[in-house]
Structure formats: structure tokens, C-alpha cells
Amino acid sequence: MMSWDKFQESIAGINLGQSATRFAKGFNSSVQATKERLGQVASDEITELPQEYKDLEAQVEALRTAHQALLKVTKAFESETYDYPSQIQESVAELGINFTRGVTNFAANNLKGTNLPAPSPAEAPVPQHKTLPHALSRAAHTASSSLRQAPGAKDDRLGLALAEYGGAWDKISQARVQHDDAVARSFLVPWQQTLQTSINVAVKARQAVRVSRLELDAAKQTLKNASPSRQEHARLEVENAEDDLVQKTEVAITLMKAVLDNPEPIKNLNELLRAQLRFYTYAAEALSSVQGEIEELSVAAEGDYRKSRDH
């Protein structure tokens, strides 16, 4: 059975032009990678890359991991429903309403001029934001109205407190929409752009270095096992592979330094923080503005309760 080395030598010796040469190099580098993965290549036969390159490679990989880790969570801001408690149930209900409205409008348009009664066209419902602040606001106002409109209802402190609470969340819900827009525009778009462009370009340059290094080590193996008639050709292949590796390593180092020196990621992070700070500050102010009044209602209700228990 033909050995790997002899098979590689025979492949390299086939003269079918530049495409065949590229195929042979690609095949040889794949074989070299497989051998290294299986531990069939001694460590001293693997070309050592510059320490500067290896340090930069580790730093770029850490930067890519950092981008991916934060993006995995912050991408939630692209959809306003990320904290909405009843999204699925309401979506199903909305589908039913939209279907009924579609059937009604279809009948209204197609029964005109016939002897059958045509229903009045149904208007589309006003779309509602689906965020937790919007849900809290709507729930509080609904609860307040329910208490105030109950038969025999009196001056109900809980209903008033719920109305105040809902009013605060009205303001917060508007700020939430602005917050999500700001995060998407000032953080998510540039953060993803950095990941998909400059970082990925540096990663591809690293991959090119890896392939070039494998081709060099494969060429060295071919030279080591070459017959006398193939020695000169194999030696030239090694020299060309060395030049290619040096060039690709220099390009990768330049690209990785540019990525690591880029100030945009920390600028983007600051924009994320600013948007969150504005939102949470506004939310705290909105809640604080009604908390005093609700606390007074709470104290008054507790006082009335104690008086009623004393009699």
C-alpha cells in the first residue's frame, strides 16, 4: 500500500498547471493538519510562529468572544417583547381578531349589490406596544377602572392609587421605547458591524496564516522524503512557502493590531450605558413622583382600618 509521503510526492509531481498545483498544496496541507491532529508529527517539525503573532491572536480571539457574549444578551433589545409577560397568549387572541375582521371585511366588500345583508366593515384595532412597562400601565388602569365603576363604589383609595401607579408607568413605557431605539441605533448596529467586519477580517487573516503554515510544513515533509531528482523542486517549494508565510503573518499582525487599537467597541459600550442610565433615571423619577401620594393613601387606609377595628 502506498505511503502518505509517496502519495503526496506523486501528487505534487503531476504537472497540470496552476490549478493542479493549488489542489496539490491544499491536499498536502489537509494531510498535514490531519497528521498533527492525530499526533503523528513531532513538535519540532511544526513551524513556530512569532510570539507577537500568537499574543495578538489570543487577544483578538478574546475580543471576538467578548463581542459575542454581550451581543448574545443585548440582541434582546431588537424585539420590544423581550420582557412582555403575555405575548404568546395575546398574539393568539390577536390572530383570531384579525381573522374575524378579515372575514367581515371580505363579506362587506363582496355582498354589495346582492340581496344578502352586508356587514359593516370592521376597523383595524390600534396596535399596542408589547413591553412590560406598557403591560403594567394598562393593567393598573384597567384595575383602577374596575374598582371605580363597580356598583355602589365609593371614594376608593386603591383605585386612585392604581391610577397614579398606571400614570407613572405610562411615562416609563414611553421612555422604554426610546431606550430600545437608542440601544439598537447606538450600540447594536456598530457592535455587530465591528464583529462582522474588522474582527472577521482579522480572523480570516489568521486562517490564511494557518493554511500557509500547514503548506510550509507539508512542503518540508515533501523535501525530507523527496528523491534526488525532486530535491531542487521541493527546495524551491519550501522557499516559496516560507515567503508566503512571512507575508501572510505580517498582514495578519497588521490587521489584528488595527482591530485591537479600534476605540469603537468601548465607545459603543458607553452609548449602551448612557441609554440605560437615561431610562432607569427617568423610571426612578417617574415612580418617585407618585410614591409619596400612594404612601399617603396607604397610611390613610391603614388608619381608617384601625379605627374601624377599635369600634
PDB file of all heavy atoms in Angstrom, residues 114-141:
ATOM      1  N   THR A 114     -76.084  42.616  -3.622  1.00  0.00           N
ATOM      2  CA  THR A 114     -76.821  41.347  -3.556  1.00  0.00           C
ATOM      3  C   THR A 114     -77.998  41.519  -2.608  1.00  0.00           C
ATOM      4  O   THR A 114     -78.155  42.552  -1.949  1.00  0.00           O
ATOM      5  CB  THR A 114     -75.919  40.202  -3.054  1.00  0.00           C
ATOM      6  OG1 THR A 114     -75.590  40.432  -1.679  1.00  0.00           O
ATOM      7  CG2 THR A 114     -74.632  40.126  -3.875  1.00  0.00           C
ATOM      8  N   ASN A 115     -78.832  40.493  -2.554  1.00  0.00           N
ATOM      9  CA  ASN A 115     -79.986  40.537  -1.661  1.00  0.00           C
ATOM     10  C   ASN A 115     -79.626  40.167  -0.229  1.00  0.00           C
ATOM     11  O   ASN A 115     -80.465  40.220   0.666  1.00  0.00           O
ATOM     12  CB  ASN A 115     -81.075  39.581  -2.171  1.00  0.00           C
ATOM     13  CG  ASN A 115     -81.631  40.037  -3.508  1.00  0.00           C
ATOM     14  OD1 ASN A 115     -81.714  41.244  -3.750  1.00  0.00           O
ATOM     15  ND2 ASN A 115     -82.005  39.079  -4.359  1.00  0.00           N
ATOM     16  N   LEU A 116     -78.393  39.764  -0.017  1.00  0.00           N
ATOM     17  CA  LEU A 116     -77.960  39.373   1.319  1.00  0.00           C
ATOM     18  C   LEU A 116     -77.486  40.597   2.102  1.00  0.00           C
ATOM     19  O   LEU A 116     -76.899  41.525   1.543  1.00  0.00           O
ATOM     20  CB  LEU A 116     -76.810  38.353   1.222  1.00  0.00           C
ATOM     21  CG  LEU A 116     -77.156  37.035   0.526  1.00  0.00           C
ATOM     22  CD1 LEU A 116     -75.900  36.178   0.368  1.00  0.00           C
ATOM     23  CD2 LEU A 116     -78.210  36.287   1.354  1.00  0.00           C
ATOM     24  N   PRO A 117     -77.761  40.621   3.405  1.00  0.00           N
ATOM     25  CA  PRO A 117     -77.316  41.765   4.210  1.00  0.00           C
ATOM     26  C   PRO A 117     -75.789  41.798   4.305  1.00  0.00           C
ATOM     27  O   PRO A 117     -75.152  40.784   4.605  1.00  0.00           O
ATOM     28  CB  PRO A 117     -77.962  41.514   5.578  1.00  0.00           C
ATOM     29  CG  PRO A 117     -78.196  40.037   5.624  1.00  0.00           C
ATOM     30  CD  PRO A 117     -78.488  39.617   4.209  1.00  0.00           C
ATOM     31  N   ALA A 118     -75.210  42.945   4.037  1.00  0.00           N
ATOM     32  CA  ALA A 118     -73.748  43.091   4.086  1.00  0.00           C
ATOM     33  C   ALA A 118     -73.347  43.703   5.429  1.00  0.00           C
ATOM     34  O   ALA A 118     -73.894  44.736   5.835  1.00  0.00           O
ATOM     35  CB  ALA A 118     -73.259  43.986   2.954  1.00  0.00           C
ATOM     36  N   PRO A 119     -72.441  43.086   6.134  1.00  0.00           N
ATOM     37  CA  PRO A 119     -71.993  43.643   7.408  1.00  0.00           C
ATOM     38  C   PRO A 119     -71.178  44.907   7.198  1.00  0.00           C
ATOM     39  O   PRO A 119     -70.609  45.138   6.132  1.00  0.00           O
ATOM     40  CB  PRO A 119     -71.133  42.520   8.007  1.00  0.00           C
ATOM     41  CG  PRO A 119     -70.616  41.765   6.821  1.00  0.00           C
ATOM     42  CD  PRO A 119     -71.719  41.846   5.795  1.00  0.00           C
ATOM     43  N   SER A 120     -71.116  45.725   8.223  1.00  0.00           N
ATOM     44  CA  SER A 120     -70.303  46.934   8.156  1.00  0.00           C
ATOM     45  C   SER A 120     -68.823  46.559   8.254  1.00  0.00           C
ATOM     46  O   SER A 120     -68.459  45.670   9.031  1.00  0.00           O
ATOM     47  CB  SER A 120     -70.665  47.886   9.309  1.00  0.00           C
ATOM     48  OG  SER A 120     -72.023  48.248   9.229  1.00  0.00           O
ATOM     49  N   PRO A 121     -67.961  47.211   7.466  1.00  0.00           N
ATOM     50  CA  PRO A 121     -66.524  46.904   7.536  1.00  0.00           C
ATOM     51  C   PRO A 121     -65.989  47.149   8.944  1.00  0.00           C
ATOM     52  O   PRO A 121     -66.382  48.098   9.617  1.00  0.00           O
ATOM     53  CB  PRO A 121     -65.896  47.874   6.527  1.00  0.00           C
ATOM     54  CG  PRO A 121     -67.028  48.258   5.614  1.00  0.00           C
ATOM     55  CD  PRO A 121     -68.268  48.239   6.471  1.00  0.00           C
ATOM     56  N   ALA A 122     -65.112  46.278   9.374  1.00  0.00           N
ATOM     57  CA  ALA A 122     -64.516  46.403  10.714  1.00  0.00           C
ATOM     58  C   ALA A 122     -63.180  47.132  10.612  1.00  0.00           C
ATOM     59  O   ALA A 122     -62.369  46.862   9.722  1.00  0.00           O
ATOM     60  CB  ALA A 122     -64.310  45.015  11.329  1.00  0.00           C
ATOM     61  N   GLU A 123     -62.963  48.075  11.501  1.00  0.00           N
ATOM     62  CA  GLU A 123     -61.713  48.826  11.517  1.00  0.00           C
ATOM     63  C   GLU A 123     -60.632  48.030  12.236  1.00  0.00           C
ATOM     64  O   GLU A 123     -60.908  47.284  13.180  1.00  0.00           O
ATOM     65  CB  GLU A 123     -61.905  50.176  12.210  1.00  0.00           C
ATOM     66  CG  GLU A 123     -62.842  51.122  11.460  1.00  0.00           C
ATOM     67  CD  GLU A 123     -62.920  52.478  12.139  1.00  0.00           C
ATOM     68  OE1 GLU A 123     -62.227  52.641  13.174  1.00  0.00           O
ATOM     69  OE2 GLU A 123     -63.648  53.344  11.641  1.00  0.00           O
ATOM     70  N   ALA A 124     -59.424  48.221  11.771  1.00  0.00           N
ATOM     71  CA  ALA A 124     -58.291  47.538  12.410  1.00  0.00           C
ATOM     72  C   ALA A 124     -58.056  48.128  13.798  1.00  0.00           C
ATOM     73  O   ALA A 124     -58.149  49.337  13.981  1.00  0.00           O
ATOM     74  CB  ALA A 124     -57.031  47.693  11.563  1.00  0.00           C
ATOM     75  N   PRO A 125     -57.788  47.280  14.794  1.00  0.00           N
ATOM     76  CA  PRO A 125     -57.532  47.806  16.139  1.00  0.00           C
ATOM     77  C   PRO A 125     -56.228  48.592  16.180  1.00  0.00           C
ATOM     78  O   PRO A 125     -55.311  48.349  15.387  1.00  0.00           O
ATOM     79  CB  PRO A 125     -57.433  46.523  16.990  1.00  0.00           C
ATOM     80  CG  PRO A 125     -57.017  45.453  16.022  1.00  0.00           C
ATOM     81  CD  PRO A 125     -57.662  45.813  14.724  1.00  0.00           C
ATOM     82  N   VAL A 126     -56.170  49.551  17.077  1.00  0.00           N
ATOM     83  CA  VAL A 126     -54.958  50.350  17.239  1.00  0.00           C
ATOM     84  C   VAL A 126     -53.854  49.450  17.796  1.00  0.00           C
ATOM     85  O   VAL A 126     -54.040  48.783  18.820  1.00  0.00           O
ATOM     86  CB  VAL A 126     -55.208  51.536  18.196  1.00  0.00           C
ATOM     87  CG1 VAL A 126     -53.923  52.335  18.393  1.00  0.00           C
ATOM     88  CG2 VAL A 126     -56.322  52.429  17.644  1.00  0.00           C
ATOM     89  N   PRO A 127     -52.709  49.366  17.124  1.00  0.00           N
ATOM     90  CA  PRO A 127     -51.635  48.493  17.628  1.00  0.00           C
ATOM     91  C   PRO A 127     -51.117  48.965  18.982  1.00  0.00           C
ATOM     92  O   PRO A 127     -51.029  50.165  19.242  1.00  0.00           O
ATOM     93  CB  PRO A 127     -50.553  48.600  16.546  1.00  0.00           C
ATOM     94  CG  PRO A 127     -50.834  49.897  15.844  1.00  0.00           C
ATOM     95  CD  PRO A 127     -52.316  50.078  15.900  1.00  0.00           C
ATOM     96  N   GLN A 128     -50.795  48.030  19.843  1.00  0.00           N
ATOM     97  CA  GLN A 128     -50.299  48.342  21.178  1.00  0.00           C
ATOM     98  C   GLN A 128     -48.869  47.865  21.333  1.00  0.00           C
ATOM     99  O   GLN A 128     -48.496  46.798  20.846  1.00  0.00           O
ATOM    100  CB  GLN A 128     -51.176  47.671  22.246  1.00  0.00           C
ATOM    101  CG  GLN A 128     -52.597  48.200  22.308  1.00  0.00           C
ATOM    102  CD  GLN A 128     -53.392  47.526  23.422  1.00  0.00           C
ATOM    103  OE1 GLN A 128     -53.177  46.349  23.710  1.00  0.00           O
ATOM    104  NE2 GLN A 128     -54.301  48.258  24.034  1.00  0.00           N
ATOM    105  N   HIS A 129     -48.074  48.683  22.009  1.00  0.00           N
ATOM    106  CA  HIS A 129     -46.717  48.258  22.320  1.00  0.00           C
ATOM    107  C   HIS A 129     -46.766  47.080  23.295  1.00  0.00           C
ATOM    108  O   HIS A 129     -47.609  47.035  24.199  1.00  0.00           O
ATOM    109  CB  HIS A 129     -45.928  49.405  22.959  1.00  0.00           C
ATOM    110  CG  HIS A 129     -45.503  50.450  21.982  1.00  0.00           C
ATOM    111  ND1 HIS A 129     -44.522  50.231  21.051  1.00  0.00           N
ATOM    112  CD2 HIS A 129     -45.932  51.730  21.803  1.00  0.00           C
ATOM    113  CE1 HIS A 129     -44.344  51.328  20.328  1.00  0.00           C
ATOM    114  NE2 HIS A 129     -45.187  52.244  20.749  1.00  0.00           N
ATOM    115  N   LYS A 130     -45.854  46.146  23.099  1.00  0.00           N
ATOM    116  CA  LYS A 130     -45.816  44.964  23.960  1.00  0.00           C
ATOM    117  C   LYS A 130     -44.512  44.953  24.754  1.00  0.00           C
ATOM    118  O   LYS A 130     -43.546  44.285  24.402  1.00  0.00           O
ATOM    119  CB  LYS A 130     -45.971  43.696  23.119  1.00  0.00           C
ATOM    120  CG  LYS A 130     -47.350  43.589  22.493  1.00  0.00           C
ATOM    121  CD  LYS A 130     -47.521  42.295  21.724  1.00  0.00           C
ATOM    122  CE  LYS A 130     -48.934  42.188  21.161  1.00  0.00           C
ATOM    123  NZ  LYS A 130     -49.146  40.940  20.399  1.00  0.00           N
ATOM    124  N   THR A 131     -44.522  45.739  25.807  1.00  0.00           N
ATOM    125  CA  THR A 131     -43.401  45.764  26.743  1.00  0.00           C
ATOM    126  C   THR A 131     -43.958  45.603  28.145  1.00  0.00           C
ATOM    127  O   THR A 131     -45.160  45.817  28.373  1.00  0.00           O
ATOM    128  CB  THR A 131     -42.614  47.084  26.664  1.00  0.00           C
ATOM    129  OG1 THR A 131     -43.399  48.134  27.254  1.00  0.00           O
ATOM    130  CG2 THR A 131     -42.289  47.463  25.223  1.00  0.00           C
ATOM    131  N   LEU A 132     -43.115  45.260  29.090  1.00  0.00           N
ATOM    132  CA  LEU A 132     -43.562  45.129  30.471  1.00  0.00           C
ATOM    133  C   LEU A 132     -44.079  46.460  31.024  1.00  0.00           C
ATOM    134  O   LEU A 132     -45.138  46.482  31.673  1.00  0.00           O
ATOM    135  CB  LEU A 132     -42.433  44.586  31.350  1.00  0.00           C
ATOM    136  CG  LEU A 132     -42.769  44.388  32.827  1.00  0.00           C
ATOM    137  CD1 LEU A 132     -43.941  43.422  32.999  1.00  0.00           C
ATOM    138  CD2 LEU A 132     -41.541  43.878  33.590  1.00  0.00           C
ATOM    139  N   PRO A 133     -43.408  47.604  30.798  1.00  0.00           N
ATOM    140  CA  PRO A 133     -43.978  48.874  31.263  1.00  0.00           C
ATOM    141  C   PRO A 133     -45.351  49.164  30.678  1.00  0.00           C
ATOM    142  O   PRO A 133     -46.248  49.640  31.398  1.00  0.00           O
ATOM    143  CB  PRO A 133     -42.936  49.905  30.800  1.00  0.00           C
ATOM    144  CG  PRO A 133     -41.652  49.156  30.785  1.00  0.00           C
ATOM    145  CD  PRO A 133     -42.026  47.785  30.303  1.00  0.00           C
ATOM    146  N   HIS A 134     -45.543  48.900  29.386  1.00  0.00           N
ATOM    147  CA  HIS A 134     -46.867  49.119  28.791  1.00  0.00           C
ATOM    148  C   HIS A 134     -47.903  48.189  29.418  1.00  0.00           C
ATOM    149  O   HIS A 134     -49.043  48.586  29.677  1.00  0.00           O
ATOM    150  CB  HIS A 134     -46.810  48.884  27.278  1.00  0.00           C
ATOM    151  CG  HIS A 134     -46.154  49.985  26.510  1.00  0.00           C
ATOM    152  ND1 HIS A 134     -44.799  49.998  26.264  1.00  0.00           N
ATOM    153  CD2 HIS A 134     -46.654  51.119  25.937  1.00  0.00           C
ATOM    154  CE1 HIS A 134     -44.494  51.081  25.561  1.00  0.00           C
ATOM    155  NE2 HIS A 134     -45.604  51.770  25.352  1.00  0.00           N
ATOM    156  N   ALA A 135     -47.504  46.930  29.664  1.00  0.00           N
ATOM    157  CA  ALA A 135     -48.425  45.970  30.268  1.00  0.00           C
ATOM    158  C   ALA A 135     -48.813  46.393  31.676  1.00  0.00           C
ATOM    159  O   ALA A 135     -49.987  46.301  32.067  1.00  0.00           O
ATOM    160  CB  ALA A 135     -47.788  44.579  30.292  1.00  0.00           C
ATOM    161  N   LEU A 136     -47.840  46.866  32.457  1.00  0.00           N
ATOM    162  CA  LEU A 136     -48.128  47.325  33.822  1.00  0.00           C
ATOM    163  C   LEU A 136     -49.062  48.534  33.798  1.00  0.00           C
ATOM    164  O   LEU A 136     -49.989  48.628  34.620  1.00  0.00           O
ATOM    165  CB  LEU A 136     -46.827  47.680  34.540  1.00  0.00           C
ATOM    166  CG  LEU A 136     -45.964  46.498  34.999  1.00  0.00           C
ATOM    167  CD1 LEU A 136     -44.597  46.984  35.460  1.00  0.00           C
ATOM    168  CD2 LEU A 136     -46.664  45.747  36.133  1.00  0.00           C
ATOM    169  N   SER A 137     -48.815  49.446  32.867  1.00  0.00           N
ATOM    170  CA  SER A 137     -49.666  50.632  32.772  1.00  0.00           C
ATOM    171  C   SER A 137     -51.099  50.249  32.439  1.00  0.00           C
ATOM    172  O   SER A 137     -52.050  50.701  33.092  1.00  0.00           O
ATOM    173  CB  SER A 137     -49.104  51.578  31.697  1.00  0.00           C
ATOM    174  OG  SER A 137     -49.997  52.632  31.452  1.00  0.00           O
ATOM    175  N   ARG A 138     -51.269  49.404  31.416  1.00  0.00           N
ATOM    176  CA  ARG A 138     -52.629  49.008  31.022  1.00  0.00           C
ATOM    177  C   ARG A 138     -53.325  48.227  32.133  1.00  0.00           C
ATOM    178  O   ARG A 138     -54.515  48.422  32.396  1.00  0.00           O
ATOM    179  CB  ARG A 138     -52.568  48.184  29.732  1.00  0.00           C
ATOM    180  CG  ARG A 138     -52.202  48.991  28.497  1.00  0.00           C
ATOM    181  CD  ARG A 138     -52.461  48.207  27.225  1.00  0.00           C
ATOM    182  NE  ARG A 138     -51.514  47.128  27.038  1.00  0.00           N
ATOM    183  CZ  ARG A 138     -50.405  47.203  26.318  1.00  0.00           C
ATOM    184  NH1 ARG A 138     -50.075  48.342  25.739  1.00  0.00           N
ATOM    185  NH2 ARG A 138     -49.611  46.159  26.169  1.00  0.00           N
ATOM    186  N   ALA A 139     -52.580  47.326  32.803  1.00  0.00           N
ATOM    187  CA  ALA A 139     -53.182  46.531  33.872  1.00  0.00           C
ATOM    188  C   ALA A 139     -53.621  47.417  35.034  1.00  0.00           C
ATOM    189  O   ALA A 139     -54.706  47.229  35.609  1.00  0.00           O
ATOM    190  CB  ALA A 139     -52.191  45.478  34.359  1.00  0.00           C
ATOM    191  N   ALA A 140     -52.790  48.405  35.394  1.00  0.00           N
ATOM    192  CA  ALA A 140     -53.133  49.292  36.511  1.00  0.00           C
ATOM    193  C   ALA A 140     -54.361  50.136  36.190  1.00  0.00           C
ATOM    194  O   ALA A 140     -55.255  50.313  37.033  1.00  0.00           O
ATOM    195  CB  ALA A 140     -51.933  50.184  36.846  1.00  0.00           C
ATOM    196  N   HIS A 141     -54.431  50.665  34.972  1.00  0.00           N
ATOM    197  CA  HIS A 141     -55.587  51.479  34.591  1.00  0.00           C
ATOM    198  C   HIS A 141     -56.857  50.629  34.513  1.00  0.00           C
ATOM    199  O   HIS A 141     -57.945  51.081  34.925  1.00  0.00           O
ATOM    200  CB  HIS A 141     -55.327  52.158  33.244  1.00  0.00           C
ATOM    201  CG  HIS A 141     -54.394  53.325  33.327  1.00  0.00           C
ATOM    202  ND1 HIS A 141     -54.597  54.388  34.181  1.00  0.00           N
ATOM    203  CD2 HIS A 141     -53.235  53.589  32.669  1.00  0.00           C
ATOM    204  CE1 HIS A 141     -53.624  55.268  34.035  1.00  0.00           C
ATOM    205  NE2 HIS A 141     -52.765  54.803  33.128  1.00  0.00           N
TER     206      HIS A 141
END
